[in-house]
Amino acid sequence: MARRHNDPARTREQILIRATEEFARLGFEGGRVDRIAARCNLSKNMLYYYFQSKERLFVAVLERMYERMRDQQKDLALRTSDPVVALEQLVRHTFAALRGDPTIIRLMNEENKHKGRYLKKSQRVRELYDPLLETIAFILERGSKDGVFRKGLDAALIYLTFCSLCYHYLSNQFTLEIALGRDMSSEAAHSEWLAHAVETIMRECCSDTERTSLRKSA
């Protein structure tokens, strides 16, 4: 096995990439640290030099997943001064992120199977979610002041709503396709559902005046 690499940050990232693949494919119990180390051309002891234990490595994988999603969501939401566009971008990005990287859903399913046991040990997860909720609250408040969103909208509820619309569809699309006898996994089906998800969120958030405009434009 290779000695410790001269670039610790790069080595750490390589370990996280391989560990993400391993845990997403086999779960926490099925994932093997020695297999991850071998794929990184490291000794098992060297991997533990970076992450101390299998549990800490799994927590780091979860944190990395959330960090990447949160960074992109924040950038998208603040790129425009239009609250309607900003909220739509968040919905579309959430769907695209889950669709584009199946490991996200697999890792979330795995951690939910453990009832959040490992994520509870994270020192970062609340730090990652708080700014996201603050961003959504800022968008909703700005929209309320502009008269396009209703007053008193709960940022956490709005997040839960659009995240559920994206996550449930994608995580269950193949079983639902069989159960409903309906195309759920094609490009066209995804586009149709995303348009529906965006419209659902907008109808929930928009003021009475804006809802009238939405009905007329439908």
Side-chain angles (χ1 to χ4, degrees):
M1 289 294 179
R3 297 170 298 172
R4 191 197 316 176
H5 293 190
N6 293 326
D7 188 344
R10 183 178 178 182
T11 301
R12 189 178 189 279
E13 178 65 12
Q14 182 68 12
I15 294 170
L16 287 173
I17 290 171
R18 297 305 186 189
T20 296
E21 296 168 353
E22 180 81 2
F23 290 132
R25 187 168 64 92
L26 298 169
F28 178 75
E29 289 91 353
R32 296 279 300 276
V33 171
D34 52 355
R35 190 158 47 221
I36 296 168
R39 294 187 68 194
C40 295
N41 196 30
L42 295 170
S43 69
K44 190 173 179 179
N45 286 340
M46 185 56 65
L47 185 147
Y48 282 137
Y49 170 84
Y50 285 94
F51 292 100
Q52 294 78 55
S53 68
K54 179 180 178 180
E55 183 176 283
R56 289 193 181 186
L57 176 57
F58 185 58
V59 171
V61 164
L62 294 174
E63 288 178 338
R64 177 178 177 272
M65 174 190 72
Y66 282 111
E67 284 171 357
R68 293 174 67 188
M69 289 188 68
R70 294 296 88 88
D71 286 346
Q72 294 177 57
Q73 285 172 323
K74 182 179 179 181
D75 290 344
L76 282 168
L78 298 181
R79 196 175 296 165
T80 175
S81 60
D82 186 330
V84 173
V85 173
L87 185 57
E88 180 177 342
Q89 284 181 336
L90 278 174
V91 178
R92 291 186 177 279
H93 167 75
T94 300
F95 190 86
L98 294 173
R99 182 189 180 197
D101 186 358
T103 62
I104 295 174
I105 288 177
R106 293 171 192 160
L107 288 170
M108 287 182 174
N109 285 345
E110 176 68 14
E111 183 57 0
N112 275 295
K113 184 180 77 175
H114 294 288
K115 299 182 179 180
R117 173 183 174 183
Y118 300 107
L119 203 57
K120 287 177 184 176
K121 302 177 186 296
S122 171
Q123 302 297 314
R124 290 276 293 136
V125 66
R126 285 301 302 273
E127 296 174 7
L128 293 167
Y129 265 92
D130 286 346
L132 172 64
L133 292 178
E134 288 171 5
T135 297
I136 296 173
F138 174 75
I139 292 170
L140 296 175
E141 183 178 357
R142 188 171 62 191
S144 176
K145 289 180 179 178
D146 291 348
V148 294
F149 289 159
R150 296 187 293 114
K151 297 182 182 297
L153 291 168
D154 186 317
L157 288 180
I158 297 303
Y159 171 73
L160 284 170
T161 302
F162 73 71
C163 191
S164 298
L165 287 167
C166 297
Y167 184 92
H168 178 78
Y169 182 100
L170 290 170
S171 65
N172 295 278
Q173 60 184 312
F174 302 110
T175 53
L176 287 171
E177 193 167 59
I178 297 169
L180 300 177
R182 180 188 179 100
D183 173 24
M184 301 281 287
S185 56
S186 69
E187 181 77 29
H190 284 183
S191 296
E192 180 184 39
W193 179 256
L194 181 54
H196 172 71
V198 169
E199 182 180 2
T200 299
I201 292 299
M202 291 307 169
R203 289 188 183 278
E204 171 63 21
C205 294
C206 283
S207 63
D208 291 340
T209 301
E210 287 299 308
R211 285 184 186 181
T212 301
S213 298
L214 283 174
R215 284 195 293 269
K216 289 179 178 178
S217 62

